[in-house]
Amino acid sequence: MKSLGRRWGEAYRPDRRARVACACTILAALLAGCAPIETSARRTEPRTRRPRPADAPVALLDEPVPARPHKVIGSVQARVYLAEGGRVAATRAEIIAALKKQARALGGDALLPIAVTPDAGGSVGAPPVGQVRLGSSEIWSALVIVWLQP
């Protein structure tokens, strides 16, 4: 067998650029999986509505059944991953903004009151003002409505 004149383990050594590129790719993949908020939307009516513009207002209602005529067109959900050791992972405003963005994508005008439930064994009461803590993740969900009369 012909020797290549290299010591054992030196047969393949990627150059520095290749190692840095590999490390950056792995880091990007890990960070992509660690986003503090994952959102989803589900349409409950067969009609597909046109998405609303990014700057269109989406109301967050206090009452579960508004007096104004409306129709439920879907639901939105945000899974909020919570940091270890009780550190804040996402602010309440960030979570509500993410839910409103999904509601706009469905073509919604407003969100009915948001329900917060624990996931993976966390215990949750009302979230503290301006921040979210406790457990490993929480599910924030709301129904999306459109107004039937302007």
Side-chain angles (χ1 to χ4, degrees), residues 35-40 76-83 86-92 95-96 99 114-141:
I37 303 171
E38 286 180 7
T39 59
S40 62
V76 292
Q77 191 175 70
R79 178 182 298 270
V80 182
Y81 292 96
L82 307 172
R87 291 174 306 167
V88 175
T91 66
R92 183 179 177 89
I95 298 165
I96 291 172
L99 290 173
I114 296 172
V116 180
T117 56
D119 190 41
S123 60
V124 178
V129 175
Q131 54 186 319
V132 179
R133 295 176 188 246
L134 304 175
S136 59
S137 67
E138 295 174 344
I139 305 296
W140 292 50
S141 56

Side-chain angles (χ1 to χ4, degrees), residues 3 17 20 33 42 59 123 128 148:
S3 173
R17 271 185 280 170
V20 169
R42 186 176 60 113
S123 60
L148 297 178

